[in-house]
Amino acid sequence: MLFLRAVAASAILLASLAYADTCSTIEALGTIEVSRPVDVHYTVEQTEYWSISCSALLPSCILYPKNAAEVALIVKSLGNTTETFAVKSGGHNPNNYFSSVDGGPLISTEKMDQAIIDTATGIVDVGPGNRLDGIAAKLQGSGWTFVGGRIGNTGVGGLVLGGGLSYFSAQVGWAASMVQKYEIVFANGTVANVTRDSNIDLFKSLKGGGNNFGIITNYHLQAIKNGDVWGGNLVFAVRTPSLDSSLLGAVRDFAEYNTDPKAAVIVTGERGNVDLIDSWILFLFYDGATPPAGIFTNFTSLPHTLDTTRTRTYADLMADSNWVIVKAEVVDIATETIPLPSAANKQTVMDGLHAHWRNVSDTVLAVPGIVASIAWQPFPKAIARQAKANGPDLIDADDSVDRIIIEMNYSFLPVTPYDTMADVAEATYSGVRNRVVAWQADGTLPDAYLPLFMNYGFYRQDYWGRLRPESRALAKRVQQEVDPQGLFRTRTGGWRP
């Protein structure tokens, strides 16, 4: 009875403040933490974006709901205003306004950070306020782990809604493939649980559909069995053209010929004007204490400067991965997906695309603080097969070809004009795309469906235009059904179907 009275009182107060701003309305309730620009918590929260271009956008307040009911109160209040807003999980997406806002309320999921495992079934309740290293630490010793990304500081919310590429993806598909149930707050403030059986269209749309349908307050996920793993980095501090070709050939061959789904690699080139960096950094992973002999030989046999690979816990690997985050800089991330070239054409394609990246990045090496990187990430047929088996999802990748996902990053000091570097990012990814299309036209590369990977997408890229038309149509229809007034479509950032 007391709970019902409290709910009724909250509803009356919300109605009486129908035209107040959301920060003041929620503050008046007295049950949800509201942080203002003068508060320490506000300042700290604003430092936790990967890109300081997002940190520079100043919300009118930051709201810290603890559960779905409190998120629902906030959403109902937003419905009575015209404010722009944002929802923040880890803040790793560097696109301005996707999880950041200027002048409107920011909803932080920080307090929804539960990670509760049923050790008998491996089903884990995960809140969107978790980061990957935090979940790995919470599950350590349970015999299970979360299928997440590769950098520990990444937030769960954006990762899973975008699909989520994992070291475990060749075994199980996307991180989103593991979701069994979503707890979601819709634009009208109602709360629902969405499963394959309850609403198959919305369930599918939430896997690769981003923030178009509501605010997820809990993920009911299938974890996977996990013991010690083997992994770390190989560093090649001195780059040469022959090393470029050898590593690019090795990652191409790995994508085609590796048959062990427990093995994964990321091959990353980096260059910048700090200490004249021009190097390669490899991420090697095996889901087991020791990788089979020879599985990574094409990489490890090349002369390298540093080797941090070892047997360790998955939690240790996640905690140890955060060195890649460049602090106090603006970050642009873009992506492209390419079909795997044949062995006969690998030098033409792999070396050609890498040369293009080097040519574009040459033009910005004088930019203050610049670090340019390109990451070659195998997207073998096994990932598509496992995603289908554990689907459905909007990405809807087929296993007709092996692919590579390319991630292209630029980080730089904020004295450099944002739009200027955005043009550089666009020149980089569009140059990759144009070359791939031309090679497909002349037969150098196979024709193939090449979706963009949302988690690495740049705000100028056409994410929805690269999905299958039927996936886009489904998402658009579902969006209209669950948010007919366009709260999420028109008042917060993201890609719209």
Side-chain angles (χ1 to χ4, degrees):
M1 183 63 71
L2 289 175
F3 172 76
L4 293 176
R5 288 175 181 170
V7 170
S10 296
I12 292 169
L13 183 54
L14 281 172
S16 68
L17 296 173
Y19 296 102
D21 67 277
T22 299
C23 296
S24 299
T25 299
I26 299 304
E27 204 165 37
L29 292 175
T31 56
I32 300 172
E33 181 185 344
V34 180
S35 181
R36 297 284 191 170
V38 295
D39 299 329
V40 172
H41 200 176
Y42 179 105
T43 302
V44 171
E45 185 78 37
Q46 285 296 98
T47 66
E48 292 179 350
Y49 288 102
W50 281 20
S51 176
I52 62 171
S53 66
C54 296
S55 300
L57 301 175
L58 301 178
S60 52
C61 72
I62 304 177
L63 307 169
Y64 295 91
K66 300 180 290 296
N67 51 49
E70 293 187 349
V71 172
L73 288 174
I74 294 169
V75 171
K76 287 177 182 177
S77 179
L78 283 167
N80 291 319
T81 75
T82 59
E83 299 164 298
T84 56
F85 68 96
V87 182
K88 178 173 177 281
S89 175
H92 61 276
N93 189 310
N95 292 311
N96 289 349
Y97 304 104
F98 279 40
S99 62
S100 54
V101 62
D102 198 25
L106 174 68
I107 303 169
S108 170
T109 62
E110 176 186 286
K111 294 183 180 295
M112 294 184 285
D113 65 345
Q114 72 277 8
I116 305 167
I117 185 79
D118 181 334
T119 55
T121 63
I123 297 295
V124 56
D125 286 326
V126 174
N130 282 286
R131 295 174 189 267
L132 303 185
D133 50 7
I135 296 179
K138 291 170 184 175
L139 298 184
Q140 180 60 37
S142 69
W144 300 88
T145 199
F146 167 73
V147 176
R150 283 77 56 85
I151 306 301
N153 192 253
T154 303
V156 167
L159 174 88
V160 178
L161 288 174
L165 186 60
S166 171
Y167 285 131
F168 304 106
S169 283
Q171 297 182 63
V172 298
W174 311 111
S177 304
M178 296 290 95
V179 181
Q180 308 299 304
K181 180 172 67 177
Y182 298 87
E183 181 182 68
I184 185 172
V185 177
F186 291 120
N188 63 3
T190 60
V191 181
N193 289 311
V194 179
T195 66
R196 180 196 304 267
D197 294 331
S198 70
N199 190 329
I200 185 62
D201 289 346
L202 178 56
F203 184 72
K204 179 177 179 178
S205 296
L206 288 168
K207 296 172 182 277
N211 64 345
N212 284 285
F213 312 101
I215 300 174
I216 306 300
T217 50
N218 189 64
Y219 298 90
H220 205 64
L221 297 139
Q222 177 63 60
I224 64 171
K225 286 284 188 180
N226 181 248
D228 282 345
V229 301
W230 178 93
N233 301 110
L234 291 185
V235 178
F236 300 78
V238 180
R239 168 265 167 192
T240 63
S242 63
L243 178 63
D244 294 352
S245 192
S246 295
L247 287 173
L248 293 166
V251 72
R252 191 226 74 94
D253 292 348
F254 183 90
E256 181 176 10
Y257 297 123
N258 172 57
T259 58
D260 190 337
K262 294 183 177 182
V265 301
I266 307 172
V267 175
T268 304
E270 292 202 345
R271 58 197 314 227
N273 57 29
V274 179
D275 298 326
L276 300 178
I277 298 168
D278 198 355
S279 60
W280 287 93
I281 301 173
L282 276 57
F283 296 76
L284 305 182
F285 175 84
Y286 191 78
D287 184 17
T290 307
I295 199 166
F296 295 119
T297 298
N298 284 356
F299 305 105
T300 58
S301 63
L302 297 171
H304 46 274
T305 312
L306 179 67
D307 182 351
T308 69
T309 57
R310 64 181 186 273
T311 302
R312 51 171 73 182
T313 66
Y314 185 66
D316 177 63
L317 181 70
M318 285 291 98
D320 199 35
S321 64
N322 290 327
W323 64 266
V324 304
I325 302 168
V326 180
K327 300 290 187 180
E329 294 210 350
V330 181
V331 180
D332 287 337
I333 299 178
T335 189
E336 260 303 334
T337 307
I338 70 169
L340 197 72
S342 66
N345 291 325
K346 69 179 177 181
Q347 189 168 10
T348 297
V349 173
M350 302 294 285
D351 291 22
L353 293 179
H354 198 71
H356 160 69
W357 170 75
R358 290 190 65 85
N359 289 338
V360 177
S361 57
D362 273 342
T363 67
V364 293
L365 287 181
V367 167
I370 191 72
V371 177
S373 66
I374 184 167
W376 302 82
Q377 306 181 49
F379 179 0
K381 297 173 184 177
I383 294 179
R385 283 195 295 268
Q386 293 304 318
K388 286 277 191 186
N390 292 319
D393 59 67
L394 288 182
I395 303 166
D396 196 25
D398 59 83
D399 64 355
S400 62
V401 297
D402 296 303
R403 302 169 176 86
I404 291 178
I405 293 173
I406 304 175
E407 178 187 358
M408 296 154 279
N409 297 359
Y410 291 97
S411 60
F412 51 94
L413 293 176
V415 294
T416 306
Y418 186 81
D419 288 341
T420 298
M421 287 304 298
D423 291 342
V424 174
E426 184 173 348
T428 307
Y429 68 74
S430 62
V432 171
R433 176 63 175 168
N434 292 340
R435 284 164 172 78
V436 168
V437 170
W439 283 323
Q440 289 179 310
D442 69 16
T444 302
L445 284 174
D447 189 24
Y449 167 56
L450 300 173
L452 289 177
F453 184 52
M454 178 182 278
N455 297 113
Y456 298 155
F458 192 54
Y459 71 95
R460 294 183 181 180
Q461 293 189 277
D462 184 10
Y463 171 74
W464 292 99
R466 294 285 291 278
L467 292 185
R468 299 188 190 278
E470 53 268 33
S471 290
R472 185 176 194 171
L474 172 67
K476 190 167 187 175
R477 175 174 61 78
V478 171
Q479 182 193 57
Q480 292 289 339
E481 291 172 356
V482 300
D483 184 13
Q485 301 304 314
L487 179 73
F488 295 100
R489 184 175 67 253
T490 63
R491 291 169 56 185
T492 191
W495 291 283
R496 304 299 172 222

